[in-house]
């Protein structure tokens, strides 16, 4: 505990966001540099609790009090060593994780929690600048070969762990670049892709092989992986998007978020000059109030939308932690992301009943709803007299994902699935096909980046044990979905 009175002397402080008019002129990340003294002060607020609930709140089990103290003391080498001991990619979680650790912070019982996520990000960025992050080469070569399908956070975490254990690892990605949704789902203003490229370069130096434009199940066939590798890790995510099959869905101008967001990223990558679907000068409605909806919101702002509404079928959350989600659980409460700060109108407890137009969408017919529960299940009841029509030239569906895509790969492998459609696994991350494992959203369902990394690490430990008869790798989590046996 660097300063026993730190939590009394300093209030919570977050990095300053660049002004809205300025940041809407570019696609760079929205935050300004965090001053070094402010960082030390924030780290000193950690109370080094006897029972650090932040560790339990983090799926990776990050050693948060340890590196908070080391940051306060200015010991950056030990700080990054402790951070990397549990998290392969803190530059990703430090930008993209919603920080369940902070929701579980003991200080948060009656005060503002420690800025754990920001401290984490500053540790890794300073480590990169100081040359403290270097490739970790395996000390032995096992001669075993592992194929990892998917290069999102789960696949990358599994690949890095297995490569460092001495296995020959090849990562297959069906897109033209490595990164999965980190590459083509996350907008540049939330994470600039240079940070992703930097980590991929490190992995290549460590010996991980990456193959792009590889749609496993088509080219190469799944049988080729089964024959050419000693183990296969499925980590292709839960990318089967949820649709909205209501009247007018076939009108032009209605697009899935994951049809829209990748094109904006390709513009920033220099692949194309203009996206084929743009919000420029259009009246936009985003259906879905989650993170993907916020990503769409920030994107359409930068493309110059004439107006934006974001619809959420759930009621507006309370301004402070709801009684239904007491500490240390993740709090249900109203949140304002950087994209919401930039503009647009948020509509809560609203349901879209029809897309209106003649060949192309021109409006949405809606009504307000009242949330109720019947037999333990949510129900949304129409409120009479609340019918309304919203003008729309462009509609983006950000309704979440229902599980992994029904692909030739899964058919060829013949792996079992759960009632929810996820790939089933037992407590060793193994499917019902020997030598085939699954990690991340493909087995868990749509979830957080921190869960994906944790599952990738844990799955890698099981693969190592399968190949070598035992393992010394850490396994931070166990599967939570229905096992196949």
């Amino acid at each position: 505990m660097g300063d026993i009175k730190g939590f009394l002397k300093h209030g919570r402080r977050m990095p300053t966001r660049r002004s809205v008019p300025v940041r809407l002129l570019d696609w760079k990340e929205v935050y300004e540099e965090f001053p070094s003294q402010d960082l030390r002060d924030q780290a000193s607020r950690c109370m080094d609790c006897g029972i650090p609930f932040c560790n339990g709140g983090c799926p990776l089990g990050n050693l948060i009090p340890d590196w908070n103290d080391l940051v306060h003391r200015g010991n950056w080498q030990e700080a990054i060593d402790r951070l990397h001991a549990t998290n392969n990619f803190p530059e990703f979680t430090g930008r993209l994780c919603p920080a369940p650790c902070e929701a579980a912070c003991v200080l948060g019982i009656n005060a503002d929690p420690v800025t754990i996520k920001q401290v984490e990000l500053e540790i890794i960025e300073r480590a990169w600048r100081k040359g403290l992050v270097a490739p970790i080469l395996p000390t032995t070569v096992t001669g075993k070969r592992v194929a990892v399908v998917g290069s999102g956070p789960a696949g990358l975490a599994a690949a890095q762990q297995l490569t460092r254990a001495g296995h020959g690892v090849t990562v297959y990605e069906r897109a033209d670049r490595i990164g999965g949704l980190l590459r083509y789902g996350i907008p540049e203003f939330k994470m600039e892709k240079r940070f992703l490229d930097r980590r991929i370069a490190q992995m290549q130096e460590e010996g991980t092989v990456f193959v792009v434009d590889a749609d496993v199940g088509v080219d190469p066939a799944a049988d080729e992986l089964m024959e050419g590798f000693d183990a296969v890790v499925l980590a292709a995510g839960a990318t089967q998007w949820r649709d909205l099959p209501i009247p007018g869905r076939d009108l032009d101008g209605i697009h899935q978020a994951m049809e829209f967001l990748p094109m904006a990223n390709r513009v920033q990558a220099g692949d194309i000059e203009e996206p084929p679907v743009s919000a420029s000068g259009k009246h936009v409605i985003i259906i879905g109030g989650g993170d993907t909806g916020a990503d769409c919101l920030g994107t359409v702002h930068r493309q110059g939308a004439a107006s934006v509404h974001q619809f959420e079928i759930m009621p507006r959350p309370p301004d402070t932690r709801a009684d239904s989600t007491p500490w240390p659980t993740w709090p249900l409460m109203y949140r304002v992301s950087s994209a919401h700060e930039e503009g647009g109108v948020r509509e809560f407890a609203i349901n879209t009943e029809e897309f209106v137009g003649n060949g192309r969408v021109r409006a949405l017919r809606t009504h307000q709803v009242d949330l109720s529960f019947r037999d333990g299940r949510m129900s949304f009841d129409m409120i009479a007299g609340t019918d309304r029509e919203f003008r729309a030239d462009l509609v983006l569906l950000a309704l979440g994902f229902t599980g992994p895509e029904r692909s030739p790969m899964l058919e060829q492998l013949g792996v079992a699935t759960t009632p929810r459609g996820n790939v089933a696994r037992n407590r060793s991350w193994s499917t019902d096909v020997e030598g085939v494992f699954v990690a991340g959203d493909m087995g868990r369902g749509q979830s957080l980046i921190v869960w994906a990394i944790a599952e990738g690490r844990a799955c890698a430990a099981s693969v190592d044990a399968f190949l070598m008869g035992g393992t010394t790798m850490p396994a931070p989590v166990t599967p939570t979905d229905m096992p196949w046996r």
Side-chain angles (χ1 to χ4, degrees):
M1 192 171 179
D3 184 347
I4 61 173
K5 296 184 178 180
F7 67 98
L8 298 173
K9 295 192 296 188
H10 306 291
R12 177 181 170 94
R13 182 173 178 184
M14 295 293 291
T16 303
R17 292 171 179 167
R18 294 187 293 139
S19 66
V20 171
V22 171
R23 70 185 192 235
L24 289 184
L25 297 175
D26 60 44
W27 292 79
K28 297 178 181 178
E29 292 183 2
V30 302
Y31 291 102
E32 295 179 353
E33 187 174 340
F34 200 59
S36 297
Q37 186 57 52
D38 287 349
L39 177 63
R40 293 191 63 190
D41 291 344
Q42 292 304 300
S44 77
R45 297 182 70 235
C46 179
M47 299 186 296
D48 193 17
C49 307
I51 300 177
F53 282 82
C54 56
N55 291 97
C58 174
L60 285 162
N62 279 340
L63 307 174
I64 295 164
D66 290 25
W67 39 258
N68 272 326
D69 177 64
L70 292 165
V71 167
H72 176 70
R73 299 176 188 278
N75 191 333
W76 296 104
Q77 180 65 70
E78 288 193 38
I80 189 57
D81 288 345
R82 298 291 176 89
L83 180 52
H84 267 154
T86 57
N87 187 353
N88 296 67
F89 313 121
E91 63 269 47
F92 302 162
T93 52
R95 289 177 168 87
L96 304 175
C97 179
C101 54
E102 293 187 12
C105 174
V106 174
L107 185 58
I109 295 175
N110 63 351
D112 292 329
V114 176
T115 55
I116 298 169
K117 177 178 172 178
Q118 187 61 32
V119 174
E120 175 184 35
L121 180 59
E122 296 295 332
I123 292 172
I124 181 59
E125 289 305 323
R126 279 168 167 74
W128 279 106
R129 291 198 296 269
K130 292 174 177 287
L132 304 180
V133 182
I136 299 177
L137 302 179
T139 56
T140 60
V141 177
T142 67
K144 302 292 186 179
R145 302 185 68 218
V146 182
V148 177
V149 183
S151 66
L156 292 178
Q160 187 167 64
Q161 293 291 95
L162 290 165
T163 297
R164 290 174 174 179
H167 305 305
V169 180
T170 301
V171 178
Y172 291 89
E173 169 57 54
R174 68 178 178 180
D176 61 342
R177 292 185 178 89
I178 295 297
L181 291 186
L182 291 173
R183 173 75 63 184
Y184 288 125
I186 301 299
E188 195 81 358
F189 57 81
K190 284 183 66 174
M191 188 183 77
E192 296 176 23
K193 300 306 171 281
R194 59 192 175 98
F195 301 115
L196 174 58
D197 293 336
R198 179 179 62 185
R199 185 62 79 168
I200 291 170
Q202 181 208 31
M203 293 181 64
Q204 288 175 317
E205 291 185 54
E206 291 173 345
T208 302
V209 176
F210 294 102
V211 180
V212 297
D213 295 316
D215 190 358
V216 176
V218 179
D219 184 18
D223 288 347
E224 294 181 43
L225 268 61
M226 294 296 292
E227 294 170 1
F229 293 87
D230 300 292
V232 176
V233 176
L234 305 180
T239 54
Q240 186 68 50
W241 55 57
R242 183 177 283 107
D243 212 329
L244 188 59
I246 60 175
R249 175 62 182 89
D250 58 342
L251 294 171
D252 290 341
I254 304 170
H255 302 272
Q256 287 284 349
M258 290 312 301
E259 294 173 322
F260 172 73
L261 290 172
M263 293 300 101
N265 280 353
R266 287 193 178 278
V267 172
Q268 299 308 307
D271 295 346
I272 53 178
E273 292 187 6
E274 296 292 336
V277 178
S278 174
S280 178
K282 295 178 180 176
H283 299 277
V284 181
I285 292 182
I286 301 165
I287 303 179
D291 288 342
T292 303
D295 292 344
C296 291
L297 182 63
T299 299
V300 301
H301 285 322
R302 283 159 180 77
Q303 291 181 346
S307 69
V308 193
H309 285 76
Q310 186 177 14
F311 288 0
E312 169 58 64
I313 198 170
M314 297 292 290
R316 185 188 187 280
D319 290 327
T320 57
R321 183 192 287 265
D323 293 339
S324 61
T325 54
W327 178 90
T329 61
W330 177 252
L332 173 65
M333 60 186 294
Y334 184 72
R335 292 178 171 83
V336 178
S337 71
S338 63
H340 295 125
E341 184 184 64
E342 292 163 0
V345 179
R346 301 170 78 175
E347 302 280 353
F348 290 93
I350 189 170
N351 181 56
T352 303
E353 60 185 56
E354 182 180 2
F355 299 115
V356 181
N358 184 13
R360 184 174 184 83
V361 66
R362 66 166 180 80
L364 275 66
R365 290 196 181 120
T366 70
H367 58 259
Q368 297 295 124
V369 294
D370 187 25
L371 173 63
S372 63
F373 289 87
R374 298 189 183 94
D375 298 326
R377 300 185 66 179
M378 284 191 299
S379 178
F380 299 95
D381 304 315
M382 178 179 178
I383 300 176
T386 61
D387 295 350
R388 189 176 174 188
E389 189 167 290
F390 290 83
R391 178 180 176 182
D393 307 311
L394 174 64
V395 178
L396 300 174
L397 305 180
L399 301 169
F401 303 89
T402 61
E405 295 179 26
R406 309 302 180 259
S407 65
M409 176 183 70
L410 297 184
E411 294 177 4
Q412 291 171 19
L413 290 173
V415 293
T417 57
T418 70
R420 293 185 175 185
N422 302 323
V423 177
R425 67 269 184 97
N426 62 18
R427 294 184 66 84
S428 296
W429 307 93
S430 177
T431 69
D432 59 338
V433 177
E434 186 177 8
V436 179
F437 299 78
V438 63
D441 290 1
M442 201 167 198
R444 183 183 183 86
Q446 182 187 5
S447 190
L448 306 178
I449 183 174
V450 66
W451 274 110
I453 296 173
E455 290 206 359
R457 288 170 60 88
C459 181
S462 286
V463 174
D464 188 44
F466 169 76
L467 296 174
M468 307 303 294
T471 185
T472 58
M473 285 188 189
V477 292
T478 55
T480 57
D481 210 335
M482 184 179 295
W484 55 263
R485 64 184 182 192

